[in-house]
Amino acid sequence: MIRHEFKRIDPKRRATIDYKKKQFASPTFKQQDYPHRLNIYHVPPTTEIRLEEFEQWAIDRLRILAEVEACTFRNKTSAETADHIKPLLERWLRLDPNSSSAQGCADPRLQDQRRKDHYSHFILRLAFSSTEDLRRRFMRVEGALFRLRFQIESARERQDFVSSLSLDWDAVGEQEKRTLAQDLLNATPNLRKADIDDSNWFKVDFETVPELVEGRRVFVKRGKAFVPSKEQMSIVLAGFQERLENGLELTARALPRLDEDDRLSPILHHLSRNFATPDSTLADSNTTLPGAPINASSIDQLSQHFPLCMRNLHMTLRRNNHLKHFGRLQYTLFLKGLGLTMEDCLVFWRQSFKLITDDTFNKEYRYNIRHTYGDVGGDAIRRGRGYSPFSCQKILTEHPPGTGESHGCPYRHFSIENLTSLLQATGINDRDVLRGVRDDTDKKRYHIACNRVFEWAHKNEIQQVKDDGSWRATELDTIVHPNTYFKRSYLLKAGLAGESGRIYKDHMEI
């Protein structure tokens, strides 16, 4: 007779826990505390948040990461990147130090800021772990953001944060320092003999700090790199990137489980697409620029301020007296975003379509223009006052142009020969700029190519507003919307730089 062990779980049956025991179990999800402003994101968040917070926090962080990546692509120095990113961090992802509050890290305001930072990182980790390319890019920009925050942190709080980490390093003893003093002095640049005794030194595996070994800034012996405390950031950054890489791989394995959640999958898909070019929306408030004569007869003159996508549509319209459907839709919404009224827009298109009769225009085109402005159509269309102007992200990812069509983004949809010819036709003849545009398009950095052209065409005006301080750094961030391109170009060329701060607050929400 076989004796049965009733406490043993049958492997062929589901191992369920008695609900009476589960009822009084301690909760798994707990509110986390954030004693430091810096975070290595080792423990995932566990408390619940609203779906609106889930999406908005991720979008705010994505704006910062996009600007960090743009600074890298433009070869900005660390100081220039810090000057550019700091105002954006204050706006979108503010993190105040413990010293800013009398309560220290227990201040609810600081906890809320750090909670948003913690959750937004893990939300984007979900969005960008699906492919190797996205994981690599996410690691690169998150590492750059962590480095920037580590550098601007105060010495005391930075040391408290480092002390809380369990990093794989060994402290160098006094006896070993004296034995290797001459080697340390010879191998470490800008090091004085007195610094050897005064500084703390750490031993780590040399492959942990490749940038220090590559730059010959540390002494290496028997596979160990001797790192001074001033180079501590390299060790911490290496630990951060190693943990992030492992976390992304684990997230990629668990990602298929989210496919069943209809609420999160569309949001994560949208975020991953926006990593190519961050999405942007035009504010619904008044969009008329002061002093700008925006009407049907002034479009030709204003077209010099248009981005290349809209300039191409305008030139094609003037050459052929016609645009196909998606070209008309893209251009009409752009003109609507400039502040062109529906009546003026109808006049503009009627004057542009010279080869057709009034009857044909009224039957085939008039209704679509009114529908775009929300004058006709369903209740939802009229309540929403029509459609919003297309952002760069929407132009890049939706409705690629076919044969005979002129819409889309020239930096993505044109061959390099046709793109170069179009740029030269609009007055961009600088060889360095054209070479940079070619490199950007080859690497699929289309919005960077567009910003490169903008900065060259407005280099004198941009330098002027930087020198006199009339524009803040947030008003010169990366352009990700065609209407932003026009407004910024118009303000710079028209000499309205002094009013830029008020204008941007009134008209744009990036």
Side-chain angles (χ1 to χ4, degrees):
M1 183 175 180
I2 301 175
R3 185 177 180 181
H4 292 279
E5 179 62 54
F6 292 101
K7 293 182 180 180
R8 184 178 176 184
I9 297 175
D10 187 347
K12 294 184 179 180
R13 298 192 179 191
R14 177 176 294 180
T16 57
I17 302 175
D18 187 357
Y19 73 94
K20 293 180 180 179
K21 294 180 181 179
K22 269 180 91 173
Q23 182 178 2
F24 301 103
S26 58
T28 306
F29 304 102
K30 298 179 180 179
Q31 181 72 37
Q32 294 186 1
D33 294 326
Y34 304 100
H36 309 289
R37 176 161 63 160
L38 293 171
N39 196 334
I40 207 164
Y41 310 110
H42 184 55
V43 180
T46 53
T47 54
E48 293 182 355
I49 60 173
R50 291 181 289 109
L51 197 61
E52 294 79 8
E53 292 175 330
F54 183 93
E55 184 173 14
Q56 189 57 51
W57 290 357
I59 291 174
D60 289 347
R61 190 180 193 91
L62 187 59
R63 299 176 197 271
I64 300 297
L65 297 184
E67 289 298 326
V68 170
E69 189 175 46
C71 290
T72 304
F73 290 156
R74 296 180 189 179
N75 297 321
K76 289 191 175 183
T77 63
S78 298
E80 292 173 338
T81 301
D83 291 340
H84 182 73
I85 298 297
K86 280 179 184 177
L88 302 177
L89 285 172
E90 292 291 320
R91 182 178 181 184
W92 301 116
L93 209 60
R94 186 184 182 94
L95 286 177
D96 292 324
N98 293 338
S99 57
S100 65
S101 171
Q103 303 178 41
C105 63
D107 190 334
R109 176 177 58 86
L110 300 185
Q111 290 292 315
D112 289 342
Q113 291 176 355
R114 295 168 188 183
R115 182 165 167 258
K116 176 182 177 180
D117 174 68
H118 189 203
Y119 273 79
S120 63
H121 170 86
F122 276 92
I123 295 169
L124 293 188
R125 187 183 288 194
L126 285 174
F128 302 138
S129 60
S130 57
T131 66
E132 180 63 30
D133 179 58
L134 285 176
R135 289 196 293 270
R136 188 167 53 250
R137 290 179 61 194
F138 184 67
M139 277 185 57
R140 184 173 62 247
V141 292
E142 277 287 348
L145 178 60
F146 181 83
R147 178 195 291 270
L148 173 64
R149 284 175 165 173
F150 193 88
Q151 289 174 335
I152 64 178
E153 185 65 282
S154 64
R156 180 180 177 182
E157 296 196 16
R158 181 167 56 213
Q159 191 57 44
D160 290 342
F161 170 71
V162 172
S163 301
S164 69
L165 303 177
S166 300
L167 297 177
D168 187 16
W169 61 26
D170 297 322
V172 179
E174 294 297 327
Q175 179 61 37
E176 193 172 8
K177 274 199 295 186
R178 284 192 291 269
T179 305
L180 300 174
Q182 192 58 43
D183 293 326
L184 295 175
L185 189 62
N186 295 336
T188 310
N190 302 322
L191 184 71
R192 298 173 301 176
K193 194 169 184 179
D195 295 335
I196 297 177
D197 296 327
D198 296 340
S199 303
N200 294 323
W201 291 75
F202 305 95
K203 284 191 297 185
V204 297
D205 294 333
F206 75 93
E207 62 266 20
T208 306
V209 285
E211 59 178 12
L212 298 181
V213 176
E214 182 184 8
R216 298 187 177 185
R217 289 151 55 190
V218 289
F219 173 63
V220 179
K221 181 180 180 181
R222 295 179 181 177
K224 296 290 185 180
F226 290 75
V227 183
S229 56
K230 67 177 183 179
E231 300 287 359
Q232 194 179 57
M233 183 181 67
S234 297
I235 307 177
V236 177
L237 182 60
F240 172 82
Q241 291 179 326
E242 181 183 1
R243 296 186 184 190
L244 179 56
E245 183 179 10
N246 296 334
L248 286 171
E249 290 178 359
L250 291 174
T251 305
R253 295 176 194 171
L255 203 58
R257 301 179 189 174
L258 287 177
D259 292 341
E260 300 175 0
D261 195 328
D262 297 334
R263 301 171 305 163
L264 300 184
S265 294
I267 297 175
L268 297 176
H269 178 65
H270 182 68
L271 290 170
S272 64
R273 288 175 60 187
N274 283 355
F275 203 21
T277 301
D279 205 356
S280 172
T281 56
L282 200 65
D284 291 333
S285 56
N286 180 24
T287 56
T288 304
L289 286 170
I294 300 177
N295 51 54
S297 59
S298 65
I299 301 301
D300 286 328
Q301 181 182 356
L302 294 175
S303 65
Q304 63 179 311
H305 303 294
F306 290 0
L308 195 61
C309 54
M310 302 303 168
R311 193 86 176 267
N312 175 57
L313 287 172
H314 186 79
M315 293 166 64
T316 304
L317 178 62
R318 288 293 179 250
R319 184 171 58 250
N320 301 334
N321 299 311
H322 187 265
L323 284 177
K324 292 195 173 182
H325 171 72
F326 283 115
R328 294 196 306 273
L329 179 61
Q330 180 176 317
Y331 196 33
T332 300
L333 291 174
F334 172 75
L335 296 176
K336 175 187 174 185
L338 302 189
L340 189 69
T341 64
M342 186 184 71
E343 291 74 17
D344 277 332
C345 191
L346 288 167
V347 172
F348 169 77
W349 283 109
R350 180 64 195 98
Q351 292 174 349
S352 301
F353 285 6
K354 299 177 181 178
L355 305 180
I356 60 174
T357 63
D358 289 342
D359 248 357
T360 303
F361 179 82
N362 290 334
K363 288 179 181 178
E364 298 184 11
Y365 303 107
R366 187 181 184 88
Y367 181 87
N368 286 341
I369 297 171
R370 294 177 61 200
H371 185 265
T372 301
Y373 274 80
D375 188 52
V376 293
D379 290 340
I381 295 295
R382 290 199 296 270
R383 283 197 302 268
R385 298 192 296 277
Y387 300 100
S388 299
F390 289 170
S391 65
C392 293
Q393 187 267 339
K394 191 176 183 69
I395 293 172
L396 282 168
T397 57
E398 297 184 11
H399 307 301
T403 305
E405 294 182 313
S406 304
H407 65 280
C409 174
Y411 297 102
R412 176 171 186 176
H413 299 120
F414 277 29
S415 66
I416 191 62
E417 292 79 13
N418 291 340
L419 175 60
T420 303
S421 299
L422 179 60
L423 287 170
Q424 291 174 338
T426 57
I428 309 299
N429 297 304
D430 187 270
R431 291 184 179 180
D432 292 336
V433 174
L434 295 176
R435 190 182 304 111
V437 168
R438 178 190 292 268
D439 293 340
D440 290 333
T441 53
D442 287 344
K443 297 176 182 177
K444 299 183 180 181
R445 304 192 303 234
Y446 309 112
H447 64 299
I448 299 297
C450 185
N451 279 267
R452 185 187 299 275
V453 170
F454 179 89
E455 290 174 357
W456 181 85
H458 303 80
K459 55 182 180 294
N460 295 331
E461 292 81 4
I462 291 175
Q463 188 60 47
Q464 179 184 347
V465 296
K466 283 183 177 179
D467 292 342
D468 59 29
S470 57
W471 284 37
R472 299 188 302 272
T474 52
E475 295 166 3
L476 291 171
D477 56 2
T478 304
I479 297 173
V480 291
H481 200 294
N483 290 83
T484 308
Y485 188 109
F486 168 79
K487 291 174 184 291
R488 196 173 294 178
S489 174
Y490 183 84
L491 291 172
L492 288 169
K493 292 291 187 182
L496 298 177
E499 301 181 17
S500 65
R502 178 177 59 81
I503 291 171
Y504 270 90
K505 286 180 183 177
D506 291 342
H507 305 297
M508 299 302 297
E509 184 182 45
I510 302 296

